[in-house]
Amino acid sequence: HDPTQYMGQGNDRGSQYRSGIYYFNEDQKRLIEASKAAYEKQLGKGEIKTEIAAASDFDKYGGLWYFAEAYHQQYLSKPGSRPYCSAQPQGVSLAPFDSWCPEDLKEKYQPALPESFWKKHGPVRGCSIVRFDNEPISESSY
């Protein structure tokens, strides 16, 4: 998915295809905004259009959250879905956590997975969301 696209992913257009991140507290909001700023610089292709909002903002819509239909869940992992692949990862990984995280949040929110995991299993440019089988990834593999 190209986060600089507004209201769409790949060839799909409309508000139902927008990307969004919804936070529940101020720490989450700060982490989201800091990672967005860092990734925008790394991509170098304009503003990231991903919607960032408080989860509580959706109270005005009745506070309802819906899961997509079953056939949309884990779509890219299903047989036959890869030719359609609209996710299109950018092939640009977010810089290491310590380089963009606000100083006072680093200890509390240190990532559980090391950089070596992402170097091996992170997305690459193009239709590459599902590059491996569905077997669990053993810690010794990275």
Side-chain angles (χ1 to χ4, degrees):
H1 159 72
D2 180 351
T4 63
Q5 290 184 353
Y6 183 66
M7 297 293 181
Q9 294 185 35
N11 294 325
D12 296 321
R13 294 281 167 243
S15 62
Q16 72 272 31
Y17 295 106
R18 73 185 181 273
S19 59
I21 301 175
Y22 308 101
Y23 57 87
F24 290 89
N25 60 49
E26 284 302 306
D27 283 1
Q28 289 179 348
K29 180 181 180 183
R30 290 178 59 213
L31 288 165
I32 292 164
E33 290 174 344
S35 65
K36 176 188 175 219
Y39 199 56
E40 246 172 24
K41 283 183 192 172
Q42 286 177 255
L43 282 175
K45 57 190 281 185
E47 180 186 358
I48 289 177
K49 304 290 187 182
T50 300
E51 177 180 52
I52 299 172
S56 61
D57 286 352
F58 291 88
D59 289 343
K60 63 186 170 193
Y61 303 114
L64 299 175
W65 293 81
Y66 294 97
F67 283 103
E69 297 86 352
Y71 66 90
H72 278 114
Q73 299 297 328
Q74 299 296 318
Y75 181 78
L76 294 175
S77 68
K78 293 182 170 68
S81 67
R82 289 186 187 97
Y84 175 74
C85 187
S86 66
Q88 298 297 320
Q90 300 301 297
V92 178
S93 292
L94 179 61
F97 179 77
D98 286 338
S99 71
W100 57 263
C101 180
E103 198 62 42
D104 62 317
L105 299 179
K106 283 182 180 178
E107 188 175 332
K108 185 176 181 181
Y109 294 101
Q110 192 65 35
L113 292 171
E115 282 297 313
S116 58
F117 172 87
W118 296 108
K119 283 184 184 359
K120 182 169 183 178
H121 297 287
V124 296
R125 184 174 295 283
C127 191
S128 63
I129 298 298
V130 182
R131 296 187 299 162
F132 302 100
D133 58 29
N134 274 340
E135 295 303 312
I137 298 170
S138 75
E139 195 169 341
S140 65
S141 74
Y142 55 87

